[in-house]
Amino acid sequence: IPGVNRSLLHLDELVASGEVSPRYNKYMFVDPIPSVATTFAHGRAVRHFLASDHDFALIFEEDVIVNEDLVNSTDVMDLVHTLIDKMPPGWHEVNMGRCADFCPPQRFRAQINEKLKLIQSHWAMCSSGYLLSREGAKRLDYLFHHDIIGPNDVIKAQAFVAGTYHQYSLTPRVFEQSGRCGVTGCGVVPECEPQNYHGWMKARYGVDIPFSRPLEPEEVRRLQERFPLDLNVASIDWFG
């Protein structure tokens, strides 16, 4: 699927059309245009899937590499079929190459094989490779083309927080990025952030939010100010 030429995108026009939120620059630390172009490129892949008669799709970025210690490149599709068989009803996505996640409070959901576990976690960043159900693709088709408020992985994580997107992840991850420079920087981003993630979030985003328990109303308010989530609940139970 071809990418999106960022030089043809104009933020004012995208805001006027409703594709990008006017709040985008309020909190993001990256140039919005490359980020929006990447989100639109993922949106193209999602729509290509929806135009087919397939029930599932594996979407990956062009610089993805397979962790051969966990699965041979020739066996990736066997892993995909195993995942599909073991997924719970109503799932939308399995992130097979998460990064920058806050891993300590992640919840175990299933043992996929002797090396891989299916989990749910708070902040599964990166979209280097992910498995989608058709219902998940329908959700992303809307989210990636209406009122975009951040990079595609942030959009998915926020939808998971809001309870409208049922995202899972594999651990250890089987897909990684090559390390070339991308939208948010250069180098390989680790699967899990350091254990001082709480301090990192406070320093990087200016929010003092613990992620090891449900959020209190005041914490939700502060999080919404920094990351507009359109939440209608006073306290979040991340895992339900």
Side-chain angles (χ1 to χ4, degrees):
I1 308 300
V4 173
N5 188 340
R6 67 182 67 176
S7 67
L8 301 179
L9 300 179
H10 303 283
L11 191 61
D12 291 344
E13 295 176 3
L14 294 170
V15 170
S17 70
E19 294 173 274
V20 173
S21 169
R23 301 173 295 174
Y24 199 109
N25 280 331
K26 179 180 178 182
Y27 66 95
M28 285 311 302
F29 59 95
V30 297
D31 179 6
I33 288 299
S35 175
V36 169
T38 300
T39 297
F40 283 167
H42 280 267
R44 281 184 176 180
V46 167
R47 287 184 169 176
H48 184 80
F49 165 39
L50 290 174
S52 75
D53 58 1
H54 298 297
D55 294 322
F56 309 100
L58 177 61
I59 296 176
F60 50 89
E61 296 177 341
E62 62 181 356
D63 63 336
V64 71
I65 57 176
V66 178
N67 186 338
E68 297 278 353
D69 292 332
L70 297 172
V71 59
N72 294 326
S73 299
T74 55
D75 296 331
V76 168
M77 292 312 299
D78 289 337
L79 173 60
V80 167
H81 289 300
T82 299
L83 273 173
I84 291 170
D85 289 340
K86 294 193 174 186
M87 290 305 297
W91 68 277
H92 292 150
E93 176 192 323
V94 181
N95 189 334
M96 301 172 69
R98 67 173 178 163
C99 75
D101 203 349
F102 181 50
C103 296
Q106 66 192 16
R107 299 292 181 88
F108 173 82
R109 295 308 186 207
Q111 191 74 40
I112 302 303
N113 58 34
E114 62 181 14
K115 295 180 178 180
L116 299 172
K117 297 177 182 178
L118 183 74
I119 56 94
Q120 284 187 297
S121 57
H122 293 158
W123 201 248
M125 293 290 97
C126 289
S127 295
S128 54
Y130 54 101
L131 178 65
L132 274 184
S133 69
R134 181 162 285 273
E135 183 58 35
K138 291 177 182 177
R139 303 284 177 99
L140 293 187
D141 183 33
Y142 179 83
L143 291 171
F144 287 174
H145 298 95
H146 296 84
D147 200 34
I148 294 172
I149 47 81
N152 69 89
D153 51 0
V154 172
I155 291 171
K156 293 190 290 185
Q158 291 184 341
F160 169 76
V161 171
T164 60
Y165 189 65
H166 303 152
Q167 184 185 48
Y168 297 77
S169 296
L170 275 185
T171 189
R173 63 187 181 188
V174 298
F175 292 137
E176 297 180 9
Q177 293 171 316
S178 65
R180 74 177 188 180
C181 295
V183 172
T184 58
C186 303
V188 176
V189 182
E191 179 175 351
C192 299
E193 285 291 353
Q195 296 299 310
N196 64 347
Y197 192 89
H198 173 267
W200 180 85
M201 282 292 290
K202 184 176 181 180
R204 188 170 190 178
Y205 297 116
V207 291
D208 186 13
I209 301 294
F211 287 95
S212 58
R213 56 168 173 76
L215 303 184
E216 299 299 329
E218 177 61 19
E219 293 168 340
V220 173
R221 185 190 66 77
R222 285 186 284 122
L223 191 60
Q224 284 179 311
E225 287 180 353
R226 195 64 174 164
F227 302 95
L229 300 177
D230 299 323
L231 297 178
N232 296 313
V233 294
S235 180
I236 302 170
D237 182 349
W238 294 84
F239 298 106

